[in-house]
Amino acid sequence: MNFLAHIYLSFGDQEITLGNFIADSIRANKYTHLPERVQQGIMLHREIDTFTDTHDIPKISSKRLHKNYSHYSRVIVDIFYDHYLAKNWSTYCDTPLDVYVENFYDLLEDNYKILPVGVQRMMPYMIADNWIYNYSKMEGIAKVLNGMNRRTKNKSKMNFAILDLEEHYEEFEEEFTAFFDELMVFSKQKFISL
């Protein structure tokens, strides 16, 4: 899952949200200097990733993309799934997406000092271009895919994946919906056990 899903699956706990968000920037166990709940958020993120990587439904979505994008297909699916979460946000959350995202950006700014350097560098661009809110729009997803392709020095060709999303829009959405229902239950159980 990508940024929005990890934030959402922190169930409103601010420190868990921070950990869940920064986890991809933390290697191995290099997080013991962080507050305990932030550490737990990192562990929750890793549990969510393991569940996602081993679940049959995201594998089906990924297989549809594998021929064109090889090992990048899983990353693309994470981005697609965040699109459907953002697009269908009112199904999952009573707080409007724009307000929810602004509150998250405020949380990042309030905790800037504990963010990994890579997140600190990325944050101004994320906020200025409102990445997370723009997941709800096809143009926003296209921009993310273009940026990811640039990061791979154009090797991934991820910028073309927007065409796959358009072509198989309903199938990806059905897969997301079925998977996310299960992921919410799993994540809530893990959250409660932290």
Side-chain angles (χ1 to χ4, degrees):
M1 302 306 295
N2 207 31
F3 294 143
L4 181 58
H6 280 290
I7 296 163
Y8 176 74
L9 294 171
S10 300
F11 304 100
D13 184 304
Q14 292 192 336
E15 288 184 297
I16 296 290
T17 300
L18 285 171
N20 208 340
F21 177 71
I22 67 173
D24 282 334
S25 299
I26 306 283
R27 296 290 160 241
N29 65 346
K30 304 224 183 301
Y31 53 78
T32 53
H33 63 287
L34 295 169
E36 184 179 355
R37 289 296 279 175
V38 175
Q39 293 181 43
Q40 290 171 341
I42 291 167
M43 300 312 297
L44 177 60
H45 178 109
R46 292 176 179 177
E47 294 273 3
I48 289 168
D49 279 358
T50 300
F51 182 83
T52 302
D53 291 345
T54 57
H55 197 285
D56 288 340
I57 295 175
K59 285 180 184 175
I60 292 167
S61 296
S62 180
K63 189 173 183 182
R64 190 177 296 117
L65 299 166
H66 197 269
K67 179 180 159 200
N68 293 330
Y69 309 103
S70 185
H71 62 281
Y72 296 107
S73 60
R74 286 188 175 212
V75 175
I76 295 167
V77 169
D78 286 347
I79 293 166
F80 286 2
Y81 281 13
D82 253 20
H83 165 67
Y84 293 112
L85 176 57
K87 175 189 161 243
N88 299 302
W89 184 252
S90 63
T91 303
Y92 300 101
C93 187
D94 293 333
T95 304
L97 182 59
D98 59 338
V99 174
Y100 188 91
V101 170
E102 281 302 319
N103 290 339
F104 171 69
Y105 293 153
D106 290 344
L107 177 66
L108 289 185
E109 289 172 338
D110 291 345
N111 291 276
Y112 184 82
K113 289 180 181 174
I114 70 165
L115 301 176
V117 173
V119 175
Q120 289 177 345
R121 285 190 194 123
M122 171 186 72
M123 198 177 91
Y125 302 102
M126 170 187 280
I127 294 172
D129 290 337
N130 207 356
W131 291 357
I132 297 173
Y133 177 78
N134 285 320
Y135 285 159
S136 63
K137 305 171 187 170
M138 292 295 276
E139 314 87 73
I141 295 301
K143 197 168 185 178
V144 169
L145 293 168
N146 280 319
M148 296 294 284
N149 183 55
R150 278 194 307 276
R151 285 179 61 193
T152 67
K153 297 183 175 31
N154 300 319
K155 289 179 194 160
S156 68
K157 308 295 183 207
M158 289 168 75
N159 52 312
F160 293 110
I162 194 71
L163 303 174
D164 298 89
L165 179 59
E166 290 167 352
E167 183 179 352
H168 301 285
Y169 197 84
E170 291 78 18
E171 295 102 308
F172 283 122
E173 185 163 23
E174 286 170 15
E175 289 155 6
F176 161 77
T177 302
F179 170 67
F180 201 68
D181 286 347
E182 292 186 38
L183 180 60
M184 284 191 297
V185 172
F186 170 83
S187 301
K188 189 66 172 184
Q189 289 169 342
K190 290 294 176 185
F191 176 82
I192 290 167
S193 70
L194 291 174

